[in-house]
Amino acid sequence: MYLFTSEVVSPGHPDKCADIIADSIVDAILSQDSKARVASEVFVAGKHIVIGGEVNSSVNLSHQEYRTIVKSALAKIGYNGNPHFSKAQCLHPDDIEVDVFLNQQSPDINQGVDQSSGEIGAGDQGIMFGFASNETNNLMPAAITYARMICDRVYDYALKNPDKLGVDIKTQVTVDYGSKAKFEDCQPEKIHTIVVSAPSVESLKI
């Protein structure tokens, strides 16, 4: 056997919640100031939402406006006060605590964004790159593709059946390539293991 595992989380996972909230903050500021520079970081721990980072913008959102952005993002994800889960079991928008620690962005970083040539640079941000694989039609490795497909299906079911499942979902798929050579040649042989983790109501019977 030669095993390779990939994991996917749903929008309801705290890491994804943080990403979606951060994106929502960027959208809210850019909608009012198209030339704004926003580098927002969000940390989710229990009911505590911490917003940090740097902003260079003519827009100065209030703490309440940030709280509204957070609550709206959580509601779209599926955390909309589900009565089938207690506040100790999942996020409830009316129970969250939002802390905002956004500072004015350094002009040195802005120099790396606005270039004399008229082009826009990356500032102090990293650049990600990857490669395509012929293992699947979407040119992604098999393990991550199947894990995403399963996660999307379970998340969709959770949204439609809030009396059964919560939205903090994680899926994991392990693919067996048989040998390292087949792994390097993108030739998976079979699925070895599928793991699905999803919060359920205490009364749910299998």
Side-chain angles (χ1 to χ4, degrees):
M1 291 190 300
Y2 193 86
L3 305 179
F4 183 82
T5 300
S6 288
E7 181 180 273
V8 168
V9 296
S10 71
H13 186 279
D15 293 346
K16 282 292 187 180
C17 286
D19 291 341
I20 293 170
I21 292 169
D23 287 346
S24 299
I25 291 170
V26 173
D27 290 344
I29 295 176
L30 288 180
S31 68
Q32 300 179 58
D33 178 8
S34 62
K35 295 184 179 180
R37 304 285 185 256
V38 186
S40 63
E41 300 285 348
V42 177
F43 177 70
V44 179
K47 67 177 183 178
H48 300 278
I49 314 291
V50 180
I51 302 170
E54 298 178 336
V55 175
N56 183 3
S57 173
S58 60
V59 176
N60 186 21
L61 298 179
S62 67
H63 184 278
Q64 183 55 46
E65 286 174 312
Y66 279 111
R67 182 179 173 83
T68 298
I69 292 170
V70 171
K71 292 179 67 174
S72 177
L74 291 176
K76 290 179 180 178
I77 290 169
Y79 290 118
N80 48 15
N82 188 343
H84 302 287
F85 290 88
S86 70
K87 293 180 179 179
Q89 293 172 326
C90 78
L91 286 170
H92 282 249
D94 63 343
D95 189 47
I96 61 171
E97 297 182 9
V98 179
D99 291 312
V100 181
F101 303 101
L102 285 171
N103 301 313
Q104 181 69 20
Q105 191 177 72
S106 166
D108 293 334
I109 294 177
N110 196 53
Q111 289 176 7
V113 177
D114 296 320
Q115 316 238 337
S116 58
S117 64
E119 294 187 4
I120 298 177
D124 66 340
Q125 304 302 305
I127 298 175
M128 303 295 182
F129 65 93
F131 60 91
S133 168
N134 61 6
E135 291 182 12
T136 61
N137 291 333
N138 64 1
L139 304 181
M140 293 290 286
I144 190 74
T145 296
Y146 300 145
R148 168 54 61 196
M149 291 171 63
I150 296 170
C151 188
D152 288 347
R153 290 289 294 273
V154 178
Y155 177 60
D156 183 61
Y157 180 86
L159 290 176
K160 294 176 180 177
N161 298 273
D163 58 324
K164 296 179 180 178
L165 296 183
V167 294
D168 182 0
I169 299 156
K170 182 182 294 184
T171 58
Q172 190 179 84
V173 173
T174 300
V175 173
D176 184 4
Y177 288 81
S179 67
K180 183 178 180 181
K182 287 188 175 182
F183 172 73
E184 293 174 346
D185 288 340
C186 301
Q187 297 179 17
E189 290 188 345
K190 61 183 180 181
I191 293 177
H192 180 272
T193 308
I194 296 175
V195 178
V196 177
S197 173
S200 64
V201 298
E202 294 180 352
S203 58
L204 183 66
K205 296 181 179 179
I206 299 177

mmCIF file with all atom_site columns, all heavy atoms in Angstrom, residues 16-27:
data_model
loop_
_atom_site.group_PDB
_atom_site.id
_atom_site.type_symbol
_atom_site.label_atom_id
_atom_site.label_alt_id
_atom_site.label_comp_id
_atom_site.label_asym_id
_atom_site.label_entity_id
_atom_site.label_seq_id
_atom_site.pdbx_PDB_ins_code
_atom_site.Cartn_x
_atom_site.Cartn_y
_atom_site.Cartn_z
_atom_site.occupancy
_atom_site.B_iso_or_equiv
_atom_site.pdbx_formal_charge
_atom_site.auth_seq_id
_atom_site.auth_comp_id
_atom_site.auth_asym_id
_atom_site.auth_atom_id
_atom_site.pdbx_PDB_model_num
ATOM 1  N N   . LYS A 1 16 ? -12.734 28.024 8.739  1.00 0.00 ? 16 LYS A N   1
ATOM 2  C CA  . LYS A 1 16 ? -13.447 28.561 7.592  1.00 0.00 ? 16 LYS A CA  1
ATOM 3  C C   . LYS A 1 16 ? -14.298 29.758 7.980  1.00 0.00 ? 16 LYS A C   1
ATOM 4  O O   . LYS A 1 16 ? -14.445 30.711 7.212  1.00 0.00 ? 16 LYS A O   1
ATOM 5  C CB  . LYS A 1 16 ? -14.327 27.478 6.963  1.00 0.00 ? 16 LYS A CB  1
ATOM 6  C CG  . LYS A 1 16 ? -13.570 26.494 6.102  1.00 0.00 ? 16 LYS A CG  1
ATOM 7  C CD  . LYS A 1 16 ? -13.047 27.157 4.839  1.00 0.00 ? 16 LYS A CD  1
ATOM 8  C CE  . LYS A 1 16 ? -12.436 26.137 3.904  1.00 0.00 ? 16 LYS A CE  1
ATOM 9  N NZ  . LYS A 1 16 ? -11.919 26.769 2.669  1.00 0.00 ? 16 LYS A NZ  1
ATOM 10 N N   . CYS A 1 17 ? -14.901 29.697 9.177  1.00 0.00 ? 17 CYS A N   1
ATOM 11 C CA  . CYS A 1 17 ? -15.671 30.843 9.671  1.00 0.00 ? 17 CYS A CA  1
ATOM 12 C C   . CYS A 1 17 ? -14.791 32.091 9.693  1.00 0.00 ? 17 CYS A C   1
ATOM 13 O O   . CYS A 1 17 ? -15.208 33.170 9.269  1.00 0.00 ? 17 CYS A O   1
ATOM 14 C CB  . CYS A 1 17 ? -16.211 30.573 11.075 1.00 0.00 ? 17 CYS A CB  1
ATOM 15 S SG  . CYS A 1 17 ? -17.602 29.432 11.167 1.00 0.00 ? 17 CYS A SG  1
ATOM 16 N N   . ALA A 1 18 ? -13.568 31.916 10.191 1.00 0.00 ? 18 ALA A N   1
ATOM 17 C CA  . ALA A 1 18 ? -12.630 33.030 10.269 1.00 0.00 ? 18 ALA A CA  1
ATOM 18 C C   . ALA A 1 18 ? -12.331 33.589 8.883  1.00 0.00 ? 18 ALA A C   1
ATOM 19 O O   . ALA A 1 18 ? -12.312 34.810 8.676  1.00 0.00 ? 18 ALA A O   1
ATOM 20 C CB  . ALA A 1 18 ? -11.347 32.583 10.954 1.00 0.00 ? 18 ALA A CB  1
ATOM 21 N N   . ASP A 1 19 ? -12.112 32.693 7.914  1.00 0.00 ? 19 ASP A N   1
ATOM 22 C CA  . ASP A 1 19 ? -11.835 33.128 6.543  1.00 0.00 ? 19 ASP A CA  1
ATOM 23 C C   . ASP A 1 19 ? -13.010 33.899 5.960  1.00 0.00 ? 19 ASP A C   1
ATOM 24 O O   . ASP A 1 19 ? -12.834 34.946 5.318  1.00 0.00 ? 19 ASP A O   1
ATOM 25 C CB  . ASP A 1 19 ? -11.541 31.921 5.646  1.00 0.00 ? 19 ASP A CB  1
ATOM 26 C CG  . ASP A 1 19 ? -10.219 31.251 5.978  1.00 0.00 ? 19 ASP A CG  1
ATOM 27 O OD1 . ASP A 1 19 ? -9.369  31.894 6.630  1.00 0.00 ? 19 ASP A OD1 1
ATOM 28 O OD2 . ASP A 1 19 ? -10.040 30.080 5.587  1.00 0.00 ? 19 ASP A OD2 1
ATOM 29 N N   . ILE A 1 20 ? -14.213 33.387 6.166  1.00 0.00 ? 20 ILE A N   1
ATOM 30 C CA  . ILE A 1 20 ? -15.412 34.008 5.590  1.00 0.00 ? 20 ILE A CA  1
ATOM 31 C C   . ILE A 1 20 ? -15.672 35.367 6.235  1.00 0.00 ? 20 ILE A C   1
ATOM 32 O O   . ILE A 1 20 ? -16.047 36.331 5.550  1.00 0.00 ? 20 ILE A O   1
ATOM 33 C CB  . ILE A 1 20 ? -16.623 33.071 5.753  1.00 0.00 ? 20 ILE A CB  1
ATOM 34 C CG1 . ILE A 1 20 ? -16.417 31.816 4.884  1.00 0.00 ? 20 ILE A CG1 1
ATOM 35 C CG2 . ILE A 1 20 ? -17.926 33.773 5.376  1.00 0.00 ? 20 ILE A CG2 1
ATOM 36 C CD1 . ILE A 1 20 ? -17.417 30.712 5.140  1.00 0.00 ? 20 ILE A CD1 1
ATOM 37 N N   . ILE A 1 21 ? -15.478 35.461 7.540  1.00 0.00 ? 21 ILE A N   1
ATOM 38 C CA  . ILE A 1 21 ? -15.651 36.749 8.226  1.00 0.00 ? 21 ILE A CA  1
ATOM 39 C C   . ILE A 1 21 ? -14.621 37.754 7.710  1.00 0.00 ? 21 ILE A C   1
ATOM 40 O O   . ILE A 1 21 ? -14.950 38.917 7.445  1.00 0.00 ? 21 ILE A O   1
ATOM 41 C CB  . ILE A 1 21 ? -15.523 36.575 9.749  1.00 0.00 ? 21 ILE A CB  1
ATOM 42 C CG1 . ILE A 1 21 ? -16.704 35.767 10.284 1.00 0.00 ? 21 ILE A CG1 1
ATOM 43 C CG2 . ILE A 1 21 ? -15.456 37.937 10.442 1.00 0.00 ? 21 ILE A CG2 1
ATOM 44 C CD1 . ILE A 1 21 ? -16.540 35.328 11.729 1.00 0.00 ? 21 ILE A CD1 1
ATOM 45 N N   . ALA A 1 22 ? -13.360 37.315 7.559  1.00 0.00 ? 22 ALA A N   1
ATOM 46 C CA  . ALA A 1 22 ? -12.312 38.202 7.056  1.00 0.00 ? 22 ALA A CA  1
ATOM 47 C C   . ALA A 1 22 ? -12.654 38.693 5.649  1.00 0.00 ? 22 ALA A C   1
ATOM 48 O O   . ALA A 1 22 ? -12.497 39.883 5.332  1.00 0.00 ? 22 ALA A O   1
ATOM 49 C CB  . ALA A 1 22 ? -10.965 37.486 7.055  1.00 0.00 ? 22 ALA A CB  1
ATOM 50 N N   . ASP A 1 23 ? -13.134 37.793 4.794  1.00 0.00 ? 23 ASP A N   1
ATOM 51 C CA  . ASP A 1 23 ? -13.540 38.180 3.437  1.00 0.00 ? 23 ASP A CA  1
ATOM 52 C C   . ASP A 1 23 ? -14.689 39.187 3.479  1.00 0.00 ? 23 ASP A C   1
ATOM 53 O O   . ASP A 1 23 ? -14.736 40.133 2.677  1.00 0.00 ? 23 ASP A O   1
ATOM 54 C CB  . ASP A 1 23 ? -13.975 36.949 2.640  1.00 0.00 ? 23 ASP A CB  1
ATOM 55 C CG  . ASP A 1 23 ? -12.805 36.065 2.238  1.00 0.00 ? 23 ASP A CG  1
ATOM 56 O OD1 . ASP A 1 23 ? -11.648 36.528 2.332  1.00 0.00 ? 23 ASP A OD1 1
ATOM 57 O OD2 . ASP A 1 23 ? -13.054 34.909 1.838  1.00 0.00 ? 23 ASP A OD2 1
ATOM 58 N N   . SER A 1 24 ? -15.621 38.970 4.416  1.00 0.00 ? 24 SER A N   1
ATOM 59 C CA  . SER A 1 24 ? -16.779 39.860 4.527  1.00 0.00 ? 24 SER A CA  1
ATOM 60 C C   . SER A 1 24 ? -16.349 41.264 4.950  1.00 0.00 ? 24 SER A C   1
ATOM 61 O O   . SER A 1 24 ? -16.923 42.263 4.499  1.00 0.00 ? 24 SER A O   1
ATOM 62 C CB  . SER A 1 24 ? -17.783 39.297 5.542  1.00 0.00 ? 24 SER A CB  1
ATOM 63 O OG  . SER A 1 24 ? -18.258 38.033 5.137  1.00 0.00 ? 24 SER A OG  1
ATOM 64 N N   . ILE A 1 25 ? -15.333 41.349 5.800  1.00 0.00 ? 25 ILE A N   1
ATOM 65 C CA  . ILE A 1 25 ? -14.806 42.652 6.230  1.00 0.00 ? 25 ILE A CA  1
ATOM 66 C C   . ILE A 1 25 ? -14.173 43.378 5.047  1.00 0.00 ? 25 ILE A C   1
ATOM 67 O O   . ILE A 1 25 ? -14.399 44.569 4.831  1.00 0.00 ? 25 ILE A O   1
ATOM 68 C CB  . ILE A 1 25 ? -13.786 42.463 7.371  1.00 0.00 ? 25 ILE A CB  1
ATOM 69 C CG1 . ILE A 1 25 ? -14.500 41.990 8.639  1.00 0.00 ? 25 ILE A CG1 1
ATOM 70 C CG2 . ILE A 1 25 ? -13.016 43.766 7.639  1.00 0.00 ? 25 ILE A CG2 1
ATOM 71 C CD1 . ILE A 1 25 ? -13.569 41.546 9.743  1.00 0.00 ? 25 ILE A CD1 1
ATOM 72 N N   . VAL A 1 26 ? -13.369 42.645 4.271  1.00 0.00 ? 26 VAL A N   1
ATOM 73 C CA  . VAL A 1 26 ? -12.751 43.236 3.076  1.00 0.00 ? 26 VAL A CA  1
ATOM 74 C C   . VAL A 1 26 ? -13.830 43.746 2.126  1.00 0.00 ? 26 VAL A C   1
ATOM 75 O O   . VAL A 1 26 ? -13.751 44.872 1.611  1.00 0.00 ? 26 VAL A O   1
ATOM 76 C CB  . VAL A 1 26 ? -11.846 42.206 2.364  1.00 0.00 ? 26 VAL A CB  1
ATOM 77 C CG1 . VAL A 1 26 ? -11.339 42.776 1.040  1.00 0.00 ? 26 VAL A CG1 1
ATOM 78 C CG2 . VAL A 1 26 ? -10.667 41.818 3.250  1.00 0.00 ? 26 VAL A CG2 1
ATOM 79 N N   . ASP A 1 27 ? -14.855 42.932 1.880  1.00 0.00 ? 27 ASP A N   1
ATOM 80 C CA  . ASP A 1 27 ? -15.945 43.325 0.977  1.00 0.00 ? 27 ASP A CA  1
ATOM 81 C C   . ASP A 1 27 ? -16.649 44.587 1.466  1.00 0.00 ? 27 ASP A C   1
ATOM 82 O O   . ASP A 1 27 ? -16.965 45.486 0.672  1.00 0.00 ? 27 ASP A O   1
ATOM 83 C CB  . ASP A 1 27 ? -16.963 42.195 0.840  1.00 0.00 ? 27 ASP A CB  1
ATOM 84 C CG  . ASP A 1 27 ? -16.410 41.003 0.064  1.00 0.00 ? 27 ASP A CG  1
ATOM 85 O OD1 . ASP A 1 27 ? -15.388 41.157 -0.616 1.00 0.00 ? 27 ASP A OD1 1
ATOM 86 O OD2 . ASP A 1 27 ? -17.018 39.911 0.167  1.00 0.00 ? 27 ASP A OD2 1
#
